[in-house]
Amino acid sequence: MTRTVWDSSVGKKTVMAVSGLIMLMYLVVHMFGNLKIFFGSGDFNHYAHWLRTLGEPFLHYEWALWIIRVVLGVAVVAHATAAYQLSRRDIRARPNKYVHKKPRSSYATRTMRWGGIILGLFIVWHILDLTTGTAHPGGFQPGHPYQNVIATFSTWYGDVIYIVAMLALGLHIRHGFWSAAQTLGAGNRTRDRALKTIGDVLALVLTAGFISVPVGVMTGLVS
């Protein structure tokens, strides 16, 4: 039964919608957590430490954080796999170019695939930079995320990579939220405008919220 659902286009779109919403919920929480950097190193580092003790004493140190990471990892892999397979299926179904020009779609729609690739590469870089410290620009300090963030966004390439990725994220959310709502049956003629507005607002707020961190470091507001 599970295999039959996964093999269908509807099943893959449903997997994309559900995994996308899981990632969206995480992003909202993650953005609010990031904004604590504007309250100083003490608050930000304490917040990072709290994430590792979340659920204690019922859960051991970092267990909750690892559960979140595993769920997110599964969601990202499922989302990317479903998107790739749907894309390949779409190409096989239309091996020849359209005779008539397709109606012009929005910029977000036309860049969803490239946006997904950009975000996938960014996730790898982001983990290597601020989680493992492997790609960190010098002096990575475990347990001191505030100082690590400052170091990353004190480099021009760190700012460029992050800002470009967040702009791609905004476009992805703008289209993806409405698309997920349609797939899960939440959309109709009366709700479409509201859903598109919610998607636009989420995209704008998340993009601005995430980008505010490197901008804060660049302008000296965070130092």
Side-chain angles (χ1 to χ4, degrees), residues 107-109 111-112 115 165-177 203 207:
Y107 183 78
T109 303
T111 57
M112 281 294 282
M166 292 307 100
L167 291 174
L169 175 67
L171 290 174
H172 215 74
I173 292 171
R174 183 172 179 267
H175 175 74
F177 180 81
T207 302

Side-chain angles (χ1 to χ4, degrees), residues 10 15 17 31 58 82 84 97 120 137 153 208 212 215 219 221 223:
V10 173
V15 168
M31 182 204 70
F58 179 72
Y84 174 76
K97 293 182 179 180
F153 295 136
S212 69
V215 170
T219 58
L221 186 61
S223 61

Side-chain angles (χ1 to χ4, degrees), residues 15 110 122 125 144 152 179 201 205 211:
V15 168
R110 289 184 282 116
F122 169 75
W125 175 81
H144 295 82
T152 291
S179 181
V201 171
V205 170
I211 288 179

Side-chain angles (χ1 to χ4, degrees), residues 121-179:
L121 294 173
F122 169 75
I123 289 171
V124 174
W125 175 81
H126 196 50
I127 291 173
L128 292 176
D129 178 31
L130 292 174
T131 300
T132 67
T134 308
H136 192 68
F140 181 77
Q141 303 179 51
H144 295 82
Y146 183 91
Q147 288 74 15
N148 294 331
V149 169
I150 297 296
T152 291
F153 295 136
S154 294
T155 63
W156 68 267
Y157 60 86
D159 295 324
V160 171
I161 292 172
Y162 195 87
I163 291 173
V164 168
M166 292 307 100
L167 291 174
L169 175 67
L171 290 174
H172 215 74
I173 292 171
R174 183 172 179 267
H175 175 74
F177 180 81
W178 180 82
S179 181

Side-chain angles (χ1 to χ4, degrees), residues 6 12-26 71-83 180 184:
W6 171 251
K12 293 182 190 299
K13 289 179 180 179
T14 301
V15 168
M16 283 192 69
V18 173
S19 60
L21 291 176
I22 289 172
M23 289 185 286
L24 179 60
M25 288 188 288
Y26 166 78
V71 171
L72 276 175
V74 171
V76 169
V77 171
H79 196 80
T81 302
L184 298 176

Side-chain angles (χ1 to χ4, degrees), residues 60 154 204:
H60 287 290
S154 294
L204 180 61

Side-chain angles (χ1 to χ4, degrees), residues 94 96-104:
R94 300 183 285 102
N96 299 317
K97 293 182 179 180
Y98 285 105
V99 176
H100 301 291
K101 189 176 181 180
K102 294 175 65 178
R104 186 173 182 177

